[in-house]
Each structure stands twice: as C-alpha cells, then as structure tokens.
Amino acid sequence: EEGGIANGVKVYNNLVYNIDKVGIRIAGYQNNGPLQDIDIYQNTIYNCGWKGSYENSGILIEGSNPVNYGFRIRNNIVSNCPMQIKSNTSQDFPVTIDNNIFYGSNGSFSAQTTITNTINQDPQFVDVANLDFRLKPNSPAINKTTGTLIADTDFYALPRDANPDLGAFEYFAPTSINDITTNNISLLVYPNPAINTLKIAYQLNENAVTSIQLLDLSGRILLFHKLSNNVNGENTFEIDIKPLKNGVYLCKLLTDNGLNKTEKFIVSGLNK
C-alpha cells in the first residue's frame, strides 16, 4: 500500500466468521500499491459484512492499480453475508473467481473478472449456532476442489485426501466404538472430533499396566493417566478434555509389555 509490491501472497485454510465488515479484503483503499499473484483459496467465511455499506461482503477484491495482476479466488466457501463476494468495477486487469461455494447474493464485478463454476448451495456446516464449521456428510463442498493451488492440510493441520474439499475444513467421517471391532484397531479414540470428553478404547492380549498420554503435535505431554486395572480384551477409559484448546492432538497408549500405539484426534467446539 505504501509503494512496494506485494507479490506471491497466499491466503488459505482460514476460518473468518461474524465480522461486521469485510471478511477477506484484497485492499486498495490507501495508496493502492501494486498487488501481484494473490491467491485466496480453501477459506471458510461466514456472516461477514453485516454492518458495512461498501464493506458488506465476505470477500472484497478492491485493489485497482493498473500494474496489478494474478488475482485468483478459488475453492472457498462464503455463506450468509449480505454479498458473498464483489470487486472494484474499475479494475482493468484479469481476475479469476473459480469453483467456490457462494451461498447467497454476490455483488458487482469489473468487466475483466471471470467467474466460473460457482456452487450456490448451502455448504451444510455441522452446527453454526455453536460455531462448528466442519462439513456434514452431504455437503456440496466435499471432494470438489479443482485447479491450483491446493492446500495439503486443513484448518486443523490434518492431511487432505486425494480429492480435497472446498473451504478450510476437510471432511472426516466420525468414528465410534464400533470401529475398534470392524477395523481390528488396537487403539481407538472417539468421538473424533471431540468437544468435552474423549473416550479411549484399546485391546490388550494380557493384563498389563497401561499409560495413556495426551500430547500436542510437538510431543509435549499435556495429560497423563496410569491404569493398572486393565483386563485381557477390550478396555475403555474416558478423559475430560475441557482444559484443552481447540486443535489437533495425539493420544498415546503405552503398556509395560511393550505396546506403543498413537492416534491423532481433534478437539472441536469453537466456543469452548
């Protein structure tokens, strides 16, 4: 904005919600400095712009410097905003808007803006009242990502699959206690994602002293329990995870006879 060139900026895997003005803005309102190769992709934007008049959109493509180029808006979900997306109509350079869910009305665009493959359907969030913007199993965002760029992981740093989803959250089928039998796992954590309580089911071939550790992704132990009343076969244990912040964690099972298993789980419920 103050004279230098902003080049190669990538904005992805963000959750932006309940903002009274613009959610994501490619700005030009100060000195309108050069902006080049700007990619906005796989973000989830909800209920933004509701106090704005000009700033009344989820995404605002504002920059209009004549040397701007390479604005690409792709594979996002924008929902429940007065305008899901709009641009400065004086832009005389190409802008690409492709393969997004825009659930609701859109604003005006410059003649150089190309809008393709828009999905105008409810993205089917799990529970917006409780600020859970993960996808339901029937979401139109699942397996719909195309083109470049594509994020390797999602908002929770979990790996995206071979056919990634639109927005910040990759869909993962919930797990349950039945999975420990049907998939023959020696360790299962459920529900996953979890909100307040994590249940742990594990199989033992003999009575063994067991340690259960909850760790962050750097390997730091956050919670520790040592259990000596195990039985041969299936065992279950329940942990209060309310002290943990939202994010991705590891559950590690260790026994005194050498068993060492680790499973990744999500703590969700963004209003914890």
Side-chain angles (χ1 to χ4, degrees), residues 10 12 37-42 70-76 96-100 144-151 164:
K10 298 173 176 59
Y12 62 98
D37 282 331
I38 310 297
D39 289 282
I40 312 293
Y41 59 103
Q42 286 174 290
F71 289 10
R72 293 171 289 264
I73 317 296
R74 183 175 280 130
N75 298 324
N76 301 281
T96 298
I97 302 174
D98 177 57
N99 203 57
N100 302 277
K144 291 296 177 60
T145 294
T146 63
T148 58
L149 304 154
I150 297 176

Side-chain angles (χ1 to χ4, degrees), residues 189-244:
V189 293
Y190 69 101
N192 192 6
I195 297 178
N196 295 315
T197 301
L198 184 72
K199 296 181 180 179
I200 301 167
Y202 51 97
Q203 291 274 5
L204 297 177
N205 294 326
E206 58 183 272
N207 297 347
V209 176
T210 302
S211 297
I212 293 175
Q213 302 173 359
L214 301 189
L215 308 92
D216 62 20
L217 293 182
S218 68
R220 182 167 58 102
I221 297 175
L222 306 176
L223 295 172
F224 175 86
H225 292 273
K226 192 166 186 177
L227 307 175
S228 58
N229 57 342
N230 299 289
V231 298
N232 186 13
E234 182 181 303
N235 294 265
T236 58
F237 183 66
E238 188 171 297
I239 297 180
D240 179 5
I241 58 169
K242 289 194 289 293
L244 300 182

Side-chain angles (χ1 to χ4, degrees), residues 35-235:
L35 304 169
Q36 300 171 353
D37 282 331
I38 310 297
D39 289 282
I40 312 293
Y41 59 103
Q42 286 174 290
N43 300 282
T44 296
I45 303 170
Y46 178 82
N47 194 36
C48 293
W50 40 270
K51 265 193 178 178
S53 51
Y54 171 65
E55 299 171 308
N56 64 342
S57 59
I59 298 177
L60 173 60
I61 310 167
E62 184 179 42
S64 60
N65 190 305
V67 302
N68 289 355
Y69 64 80
F71 289 10
R72 293 171 289 264
I73 317 296
R74 183 175 280 130
N75 298 324
N76 301 281
I77 298 175
V78 190
S79 176
N80 203 48
C81 305
M83 298 291 176
Q84 312 321 304
I85 188 170
K86 68 178 186 180
S87 76
N88 187 329
T89 57
S90 66
Q91 293 159 346
D92 61 357
F93 51 88
V95 175
T96 298
I97 302 174
D98 177 57
N99 203 57
N100 302 277
I101 287 182
F102 296 137
Y103 186 48
S105 301
N106 294 336
S108 55
F109 300 92
S110 68
Q112 295 278 17
T113 299
T114 301
I115 305 175
T116 52
N117 303 315
T118 295
I119 302 170
N120 190 1
Q121 297 180 39
D122 186 341
Q124 296 290 317
F125 298 127
V126 168
D127 187 358
V128 294
N130 289 305
L131 305 178
D132 187 342
F133 295 98
R134 292 174 296 122
L135 303 174
K136 291 182 179 178
N138 59 340
S139 169
I142 294 175
N143 297 337
K144 291 296 177 60
T145 294
T146 63
T148 58
L149 304 154
I150 297 176
D152 294 329
T153 58
D154 74 350
F155 179 87
Y156 286 119
L158 294 173
R160 293 184 183 264
D161 61 28
N163 297 299
D165 306 332
L166 306 184
F169 298 91
E170 190 75 358
Y171 173 74
F172 295 92
T175 56
S176 69
I177 185 61
N178 295 327
D179 295 337
I180 197 168
T181 302
T182 58
N183 294 333
N184 197 23
I185 315 174
S186 56
L187 172 64
L188 174 73
V189 293
Y190 69 101
N192 192 6
I195 297 178
N196 295 315
T197 301
L198 184 72
K199 296 181 180 179
I200 301 167
Y202 51 97
Q203 291 274 5
L204 297 177
N205 294 326
E206 58 183 272
N207 297 347
V209 176
T210 302
S211 297
I212 293 175
Q213 302 173 359
L214 301 189
L215 308 92
D216 62 20
L217 293 182
S218 68
R220 182 167 58 102
I221 297 175
L222 306 176
L223 295 172
F224 175 86
H225 292 273
K226 192 166 186 177
L227 307 175
S228 58
N229 57 342
N230 299 289
V231 298
N232 186 13
E234 182 181 303
N235 294 265

